[in-house]
Structures are given as structure tokens and as C-alpha cells.
Amino acid sequence: IVKDINKRIQLINKHAANILNAKQEELTGKIMADLLPPDIAANIDASDSETLKFHHLIETEEQIPVFGKLNTFLSIKFPLYDENGNIIGLCTVGTNITDIKENEEKIKGLNEELQEKIKRLEEANSELNAFTYSASHDLRAPLRAMSGYTSLLKRDYSGKLDADAARMLDVLNRNAQKMSHLIDDLLSYSRI
């Protein structure tokens, strides 16, 4: 859209005219207040005024209704000069970024959801670790008792036990140690 110093439309391409739901020739000489709701027109007018006042390019996001739905446009506005360097108007080039903004919001929502799931997973892992260590301690206590008592029986009653009883104590002791190794392996696995 090309506007004069009074922010009246002088040239507008067909696509921009379609967005404003009018024909190109109907828009010449109009200001945004003639075409858009007052709050939207005021925002566009403010950025147009900034471009004209400070003589510099600006990039801004503007909300414009397109067929009843509010769309977000990335608008680049720059001043236009005559051959003597006097400002005579401005040009606006807009790109509809509604889909990008909606996708950004979806991604933001998904990231927040993911962060919440990560937090719950970390809490669950912490609880699992606490349970694992508690369970391993509770399982090791009877194994230590079994191993200790079999060693005591073997030492204190070595001459009184027949070969079969000594073998059973050895089997009991080896199995207690095997169970202790299984608990260690289970702890290692749970850490992974």
C-alpha cells in the first residue's frame, strides 16, 4: 500500500484490496479509519505516523480482520521521498503471519506441556529411586542375617555337622550372596 503524507491510499495491490474486502479503485483516497474498526485503524495510523515523523523504516505486527477473522500481519513501513528529498508519503509491505503466530502459540503450549511431563517424570524417578534404595536395604537385611548365621553355624558347629549339613550351609551362603548380587544388578539397572 502506498499512502500520501496525509496517510490516504494512493496505490494498493489487488491482494491488499482483497484483504480489505474492496476493489482497488474503491480504496484510492481512503484512510484506514474509513475501512477498519477504530482501534485497529488507530494502531495502523500510529505506526504510519511514526514512519512519517522519524523518517525511518519500521517493522511492526498489526492485527487486521480478514473475512471476519483477526489476522496478524508483519508490516514493514518506509518513507517515500520526492526528487528533492522531501517526504511525500509512505509504503507498507505486509505479510500475513497468522499461521506462524498460531503455530508459535501451539509450540509454546506443547513446550509447557512437555516441561510439565518432564517435571512429573523427574518426580516419579525420584520416588522410584527412593523406593529402590529402601527395598534393597529391606532385602539385604535378611540376606545378611542368613549369611551371618550360616557362617556362625559352620564355624561353631564345624566338627558336629556331617558333610551333607555343611554342604547345605555352603549352598545357603552362596545363594544369599547370589541374591545380594541380583539386588546390586537391579539397582544398577534402575539407575540406567
Side-chain angles (χ1 to χ4, degrees):
I1 300 174
V2 175
K3 297 177 186 173
D4 64 17
I5 196 82
N6 298 313
K7 298 177 258 182
R8 293 193 175 281
I9 296 172
Q10 299 303 306
L11 293 170
I12 186 166
N13 70 12
K14 187 176 181 180
H15 183 68
N18 286 339
I19 289 170
L20 295 171
N21 201 21
K23 293 186 171 130
Q24 290 170 279
E25 57 274 7
E26 296 171 348
L27 297 172
T28 303
K30 303 266 184 183
I31 60 173
M32 287 296 142
D34 298 333
L35 307 168
L36 297 170
D39 56 332
I40 293 172
N43 287 338
I44 293 172
D45 190 58
S47 60
D48 287 354
S49 295
E50 182 182 341
T51 301
L52 293 169
K53 181 177 180 182
F54 297 109
H55 299 225
H56 67 273
L57 180 141
I58 66 163
E59 187 176 296
T60 184
E61 288 183 12
E62 297 175 324
Q63 302 287 315
I64 299 173
V66 178
F67 305 114
K69 181 185 176 206
L70 207 56
N71 281 233
T72 303
F73 285 80
L74 176 63
S75 296
I76 297 171
K77 300 181 178 201
F78 53 91
L80 298 172
Y81 301 93
D82 66 12
E83 62 277 352
N84 298 322
N86 299 315
I87 194 160
I88 58 169
L90 72 135
C91 182
T92 301
V93 178
T95 303
N96 191 333
I97 59 169
T98 304
D99 291 341
I100 293 169
K101 296 301 265 182
E102 288 173 356
N103 287 336
E104 284 175 355
E105 287 302 312
K106 286 178 189 174
I107 289 170
K108 182 180 175 185
L110 288 171
N111 280 336
E112 288 170 359
E113 188 178 312
L114 180 61
Q115 290 301 320
E116 183 60 33
K117 287 181 180 181
I118 288 170
K119 182 181 173 186
R120 283 185 289 183
L121 183 59
E122 287 171 346
E123 289 169 358
N125 279 338
S126 178
E127 289 173 12
L128 179 62
N129 282 337
F131 170 77
T132 304
Y133 285 111
S134 175
S136 72
H137 176 75
D138 292 349
L139 289 172
R140 286 178 199 274
L143 289 176
R144 281 192 298 270
M146 286 170 49
S147 187
Y149 283 128
T150 55
S151 296
L152 283 174
L153 283 170
K154 196 169 178 184
R155 186 189 70 203
D156 293 348
Y157 295 96
S158 64
K160 298 176 186 172
L161 297 172
D162 63 10
D164 215 23
R167 184 186 60 75
M168 284 186 219
L169 288 174
D170 285 340
V171 168
L172 191 58
N173 199 25
R174 276 196 311 271
N175 282 326
Q177 289 175 354
K178 206 185 255 187
M179 184 64 171
S180 182
H181 290 299
L182 285 172
I183 292 169
D184 289 341
D185 292 344
L186 188 59
L187 281 172
S188 295
Y189 180 71
S190 74
R191 282 188 209 107
I192 292 169

